[in-house]
C-alpha cells in the first residue's frame, strides 16, 4: 500500500523553470491526501517557489527543498543542512573562474545573486521560478553560515563546463549534481533528496515499500533508493531511466498525473 509519494518538479511535473502547472494536479493531490497518502515535493527550488506553485494545496503537503538541504512542512522546519562555511570563499572563487556561468547562493529563506538584476538568470529566477531573490555586491558578503546551496547557471553546457575543473577539484568536499541542463547544484556531502526523504519516512513511520517517487535528473537518483516504486518519466536522462523500477510518460504528457490517477482508481 502506498502511503507516501514524493515528486521532483522541474522536468518531472513541469517544463524547467515553469511558474505554472496543470491545475488538475491540485485536485489529484487533494484526493490523495483525503485518502491518507502523504504528498511531498522534492525539488532543487527554494521552499517559497514551490509553495507558490502548489498554493491551492500548500498547507497539505511536505517539502524537500534546495536539493535536499531543507526538509519542512507548511509551518514547521524539520531539518536544514548548511554548507561548510570555511570552504565557501575559496569555492566561490573557483566557481567564478568557470567561463560563462552565473552564481547564486541559497539560504532557507532567500536566494542571493551577485550578477545584477538585469541578467537572464536573475529574471529567470524571479519571473519564471517565482523565487524570493536579492542581488548583492558579492556572495562573499552573504550570511555564509546560512548558505545551504551554491548553484551555477549556464544556458547551454553547464555540466560540460563544470566537469573540466570544478567537479574534480571539489568532489571530495561538496556534492556537485546536475539538476537540469542549465544548472549544477552544489550541496553538502551529506545532503540529497534521498536522505531528506528517509528523514520524512522515519518521522512519519513509513517504509520504502510504502513509498512512490518520481524524477528525471541526476539529483533525483538518491530518492529511488528510498522507494520501492521509483518512476523515471519519459523525458528523463538515460541514467535515471536505468535506475528506476518503472517509467512514466513525459511531463508534457502529464506522465506523473496519469500515474497518480491510476493509483487513485485502485483505492
Amino acid at each position: 500500500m502506498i502511503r507516501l509519494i514524493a515528486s521532483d518538479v522541474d522536468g518531472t511535473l513541469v517544463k524547467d523553470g515553469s511558474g505554472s502547472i496543470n491545475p488538475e494536479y491540485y485536485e489529484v493531490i487533494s484526493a490523495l491526501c483525503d485518502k491518507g497518502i502523504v504528498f511531498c515535493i522534492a525539488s532543487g527550488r527554494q521552499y517559497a517557489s514551490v509553495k507558490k506553485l502548489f498554493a491551492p494545496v500548500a498547507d497539505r503537503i511536505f517539502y524537500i527543498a534546495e536539493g535536499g538541504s531543507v526538509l519542512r512542512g507548511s509551518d514547521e522546519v524539520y531539518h536544514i543542512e548548511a554548507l561548510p562555511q570555511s570552504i565557501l570563499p575559496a569555492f566561490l572563487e573557483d566557481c567564478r573562474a568557470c567561463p560563462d556561468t552565473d552564481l547564486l547562493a541559497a539560504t532557507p529563506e532567500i536566494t542571493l545573486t551577485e550578477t545584477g538584476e538585469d541578467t537572464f538568470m536573475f529574471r529567470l529566477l524571479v519571473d519564471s521560478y517565482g523565487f524570493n531573490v536579492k542581488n548583492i555586491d558579492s556572495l562573499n558578503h552573504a550570511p555564509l553560515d546560512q548558505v545551504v546551496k551554491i548553484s551555477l547557471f549556464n544556458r547551454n553546457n553547464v555540466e560540460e563546463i563544470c566537469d573540466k575543473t570544478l567537479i574534480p577539484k571539489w568532489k571530495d568536499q561538496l556534492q556537485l549534481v546536475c539538476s537540469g541542463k542549465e544548472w549544477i547544484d552544489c550541496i553538502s556531502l551529506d545532503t540529497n533528496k534521498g536522505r531528506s526523504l528517509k528523514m520524512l519516512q522515519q518521522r512519519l513511520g513509513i517504509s520504502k515499500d510504502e513509498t512512490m517517487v518520481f524524477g528525471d535528473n541526476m539529483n533525483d537518483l538518491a530518492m529511488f533508493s528510498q522507494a520501492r516504486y521509483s518512476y523515471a518519466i519519459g523525458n528523463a536522462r538515460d541514467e535515471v531511466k536505468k535506475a528506476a523500477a518503472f517509467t512514466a510518460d513525459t511531463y508534457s504528457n502529464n506522465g506523473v498525473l496519469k500515474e497518480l490517477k491510476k493509483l487513485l482508481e485502485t483505492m
Side-chain angles (χ1 to χ4, degrees):
M1 177 182 175
I2 303 299
R3 297 178 58 203
L4 169 61
I5 299 169
S7 179
D8 173 52
V9 177
D10 292 286
T12 299
L13 301 181
V14 301
K15 181 180 179 181
D16 282 355
S18 177
S20 62
I21 190 171
N22 184 337
E24 193 173 356
Y25 272 106
Y26 306 139
E27 301 171 20
V28 172
I29 291 172
S30 289
L32 290 166
C33 292
D34 290 342
K35 296 287 186 179
I37 295 177
V38 176
F39 200 90
C40 177
I41 293 300
S43 177
R45 295 193 188 197
Q46 66 176 201
Y47 165 67
S49 172
V50 286
K51 186 176 182 181
K52 290 175 187 174
L53 188 63
F54 291 89
V57 293
D59 293 338
R60 304 195 70 182
I61 63 180
F62 291 85
Y63 301 89
I64 295 170
E66 304 292 6
S69 299
V70 177
L71 172 64
R72 61 172 299 156
S74 61
D75 57 2
E76 184 179 358
V77 177
Y78 306 130
H79 181 76
I80 292 174
E81 189 73 36
L83 292 174
Q85 182 179 354
S86 61
I87 69 172
L88 286 183
F91 179 65
L92 286 168
E93 286 307 303
D94 283 351
C95 289
R96 293 186 185 103
C98 293
D100 303 316
T101 57
D102 291 329
L103 298 178
L104 65 79
T107 76
E109 302 300 329
I110 194 168
T111 294
L112 302 170
T113 69
E114 62 181 15
T115 55
E117 296 184 4
D118 59 348
T119 60
F120 182 88
M121 184 188 75
F122 188 93
R123 297 314 326 163
L124 180 69
L125 293 173
V126 174
D127 300 332
S128 296
Y129 285 100
F131 273 31
N132 291 336
V133 190
K134 181 180 180 181
N135 192 75
I136 59 177
D137 60 347
S138 171
L139 294 182
N140 291 76
H141 299 154
L144 296 184
D145 60 326
Q146 299 176 36
V147 173
V148 297
K149 184 182 73 175
I150 301 291
S151 293
L152 294 91
F153 174 84
N154 177 279
R155 297 174 69 176
N156 299 307
N157 60 343
V158 68
E159 192 172 10
E160 180 181 341
I161 291 170
C162 293
D163 272 346
K164 294 177 181 178
T165 56
L166 195 69
I167 292 176
K169 180 175 180 178
W170 288 94
K171 63 182 177 64
D172 294 329
Q173 298 182 71
L174 294 170
Q175 287 188 75
L176 290 87
V177 185
C178 181
S179 62
K181 68 175 185 178
E182 300 171 331
W183 297 100
I184 291 287
D185 288 342
C186 311
I187 53 180
S188 164
L189 284 176
D190 295 328
T191 299
N192 56 61
K193 293 182 182 181
R195 181 174 182 240
S196 289
L197 181 60
K198 182 177 181 179
M199 290 181 187
L200 184 61
Q201 289 170 324
Q202 293 173 338
R203 185 179 187 87
L204 301 176
I206 295 175
S207 70
K208 295 181 183 180
D209 288 344
E210 298 169 312
T211 303
M212 176 183 288
V213 300
F214 297 91
D216 76 302
N217 220 311
M218 302 302 287
N219 63 337
D220 298 315
L221 289 177
M223 289 199 298
F224 287 7
S225 64
Q226 287 302 126
R228 177 179 178 183
Y229 303 93
S230 57
Y231 284 79
I233 62 162
N235 52 274
R237 289 174 61 132
D238 288 342
E239 302 98 315
V240 179
K241 290 179 180 178
K242 290 177 182 178
F246 305 95
T247 302
D249 207 340
T250 63
Y251 77 81
S252 58
N253 288 327
N254 295 305
V256 175
L257 185 62
K258 291 177 182 177
E259 298 301 324
L260 298 181
K261 291 169 78 172
K262 287 180 188 177
L263 179 60
L264 276 175
E265 290 172 359
T266 67
M267 302 180 72

